[in-house]
Amino acid sequence: MADEDEATRAYRRTAQPPAAQRPAARPPAQPGQAAPAGSGREDTVPRIRSKVYGKPRSGNTPVRPLGGSGQEAGEPQSAPRGGGGGPRGRGGGRGPRRTGRIILRGVVVLVVLLLIAAVAGYFWIGSRLRPVESLTDYNGRPAETPGADWLLVGSDSRAGLTAAQRRKLATGKAVGKRTDTMMLLHIPESGRPTLVSLPRDSYVPIEGHGSGKLNAAYAFGGPKLLAKTVEQVTGIRIDHYMEIGFGGFVGIVDAIGGVNICVKQDIKDPKAGIDLKKGCQDMDGGTALGYVRTRATGAIPDFERTQRQRQFFSAVVQKAASPGTLINPFTSVPLALSAADSVSVDPGSGLFDLLSVGLAMREGPIATAVPIGSLPTIGGQAVVKWDTQKALRLFEALAADKQVPKDVITK
């Protein structure tokens, strides 16, 4: 061991240079200064102490910009904020957003297509309405009044009915057409509408023909003379005219799937083609037509007819304007087509005007008839003379867009 120790000491003395030849010790580098050349290490990056959010930053590592794209070689690339390849990154975040955009675009396209179809359908159906010249200006015509006033006419026209349909509906073989129903509908600016039956046997003055039954005005001069006669005897300016024949009557009722009517008594009338029992029941177009046409009830058949006509018209319009009918294309489209093909209106009225009638009457109108004064026989014909004072009060209230006095309402 002594020999090995002596040998080791001799080696060290020969391998280590003398103290005079050793490089002088260098002071340690100050913070922020590079190490002196020949120090044995390449410290090229300055050690900087910076402040982060106003506080001294610890550590000697260099400061690099956040989110920078230039990483040192060998450093792992950090995922971008908001998600990278993980479930909330590009693969998981863009997918749901992209699907949502596709769905949104599809909904927008569908809505646009529906709007285009609705507008096109509106104009197409509106173009099928049959205009009829009915409202004319003349000296002494009543001035315009608040609200909207419609003259509703149901004619006994058989136009469009085949021989088989005439036999089935018991409409007879009469040629030409006469007014079977006449009603004045007043739609106020606010409140419930008023539906007034104008008995067809009403004895009134007819321009150029003396005095006669109201329905004779239609026979003498068609819709124009009828509308003018109604304006002159009521003092109300007619804003819209609508007429429908037997065939259109049946088609509209069938288009809405029938109508529920409460029958006050048993009615059997072969001439009208009906055999009804007392009570509420659903009627198809043919049965409803017979119900409003029959004269087999009441001591004064024409009064009973006007009551049934108002009852029927209110029921049909309310059902046609119900949400279940309007939003269902299987009922609303056939109804619109049937109405357009069978209803005649004045040239100034359109599909929107017809829709406004239904919307106004959804809650049910105030139904009445012109107050009756007497039932004389004139020229061998039984006629209806109005109660002049009550009739004037009725029409004056409508012209002023006011509520009709209760004592002039006839059930």
Side-chain angles (χ1 to χ4, degrees):
M1 292 293 295
D3 293 339
E4 292 176 357
D5 292 339
E6 183 61 24
T8 300
R9 286 195 294 270
Y11 172 78
R12 288 177 177 174
R13 283 195 300 270
T14 58
Q16 188 173 5
Q21 297 177 5
R22 297 176 187 170
R26 294 178 175 84
Q30 296 298 321
Q33 295 180 353
S39 62
R41 62 175 184 152
E42 295 295 328
D43 195 358
T44 59
V45 180
R47 297 184 179 182
I48 301 174
R49 289 183 177 272
S50 63
K51 291 185 178 181
V52 180
Y53 300 109
K55 296 181 180 180
R57 176 180 175 275
S58 61
N60 297 325
T61 57
V63 179
R64 292 184 175 87
L66 293 175
S69 59
Q71 281 83 9
E72 297 276 338
E75 290 183 353
Q77 184 174 359
S78 60
R81 289 188 295 175
R88 298 176 62 86
R90 294 181 180 178
R94 287 190 178 180
R97 288 199 296 269
R98 185 175 298 171
T99 303
R101 293 192 195 103
I102 293 174
I103 294 175
L104 179 60
R105 289 171 184 169
V107 171
V108 171
V109 171
L110 179 61
V111 171
V112 171
L113 291 176
L114 289 176
L115 288 175
I116 293 174
V119 172
Y122 174 84
F123 285 104
W124 176 60
I125 294 174
S127 67
R128 297 166 65 104
L129 288 173
R130 295 181 297 178
V132 56
E133 293 296 333
S134 51
L135 306 177
T136 57
D137 286 325
Y138 54 88
N139 291 331
R141 187 182 185 191
E144 293 184 0
T145 55
D149 294 285
W150 286 75
L151 179 58
L152 309 175
V153 176
S155 74
D156 61 0
S157 172
R158 279 81 170 167
L161 295 177
T162 65
Q165 289 174 324
R166 292 183 183 185
R167 288 193 298 270
K168 181 180 178 180
L169 300 175
T171 61
K173 299 180 180 180
V175 295
K177 60 180 181 178
R178 296 173 294 275
T179 52
D180 203 54
T181 303
M182 288 167 288
M183 291 182 286
L184 178 65
L185 173 64
H186 175 73
I187 302 177
E189 294 182 348
S190 63
R192 293 173 61 190
T194 302
L195 184 63
V196 183
S197 291
L198 307 173
R200 68 176 192 171
D201 293 338
S202 299
Y203 193 71
V204 296
I206 303 173
E207 186 178 81
H209 301 276
S211 293
K213 292 183 177 182
L214 181 59
N215 66 343
Y218 189 94
F220 291 140
K224 288 184 179 180
L225 184 56
L226 175 62
K228 184 175 183 180
T229 301
V230 172
E231 286 184 337
Q232 290 177 332
V233 297
T234 63
I236 294 177
R237 186 188 186 102
I238 304 300
D239 301 303
H240 304 279
Y241 178 92
M242 182 175 72
E243 179 182 327
I244 185 170
F246 283 168
F249 183 104
V250 174
I252 288 177
V253 176
D254 289 340
I256 60 175
V259 64
N260 189 268
I261 297 290
C262 293
V263 182
K264 295 190 297 182
Q265 64 186 78
D266 294 348
I267 306 175
K268 185 174 182 179
D269 184 2
K271 292 182 179 180
I274 57 173
D275 185 2
L276 301 174
K277 302 299 180 182
K278 180 180 179 180
C280 297
Q281 52 204 281
D282 291 329
M283 298 184 185
D284 60 13
T287 304
L289 177 62
Y291 176 73
V292 299
R293 290 181 58 227
T294 183
R295 292 172 172 265
T297 61
I300 309 177
D302 201 35
F303 291 166
E304 295 287 337
R305 278 164 52 89
T306 59
Q307 290 179 350
R308 291 193 299 273
Q309 289 164 359
R310 294 194 305 270
Q311 177 192 23
F312 166 78
F313 181 75
S314 299
V316 168
V317 173
Q318 289 178 45
K319 185 173 181 179
S322 66
T325 299
L326 293 178
I327 66 177
N328 183 357
F330 295 101
T331 54
S332 59
V333 173
L335 172 61
L337 291 174
S338 179
D341 290 339
S342 57
V343 170
S344 299
V345 295
D346 64 279
S349 298
L351 196 59
F352 181 79
D353 297 301
L354 294 178
L355 181 60
S356 68
V357 172
L359 296 177
M361 293 187 62
R362 281 186 301 181
E363 302 301 324
I366 298 172
T368 185
V370 181
I372 304 303
S374 61
L375 303 169
T377 298
I378 300 177
Q381 294 184 325
V383 298
V384 175
K385 298 197 76 172
W386 296 352
D387 184 322
T388 305
Q389 295 302 318
K390 287 186 176 182
L392 286 176
R393 292 173 59 204
L394 167 66
F395 296 127
E396 287 173 355
L398 296 179
D401 204 28
K402 296 181 178 179
Q403 187 174 359
V404 176
K406 292 183 178 180
D407 64 317
V408 302
I409 295 178
T410 302
K411 296 298 183 182

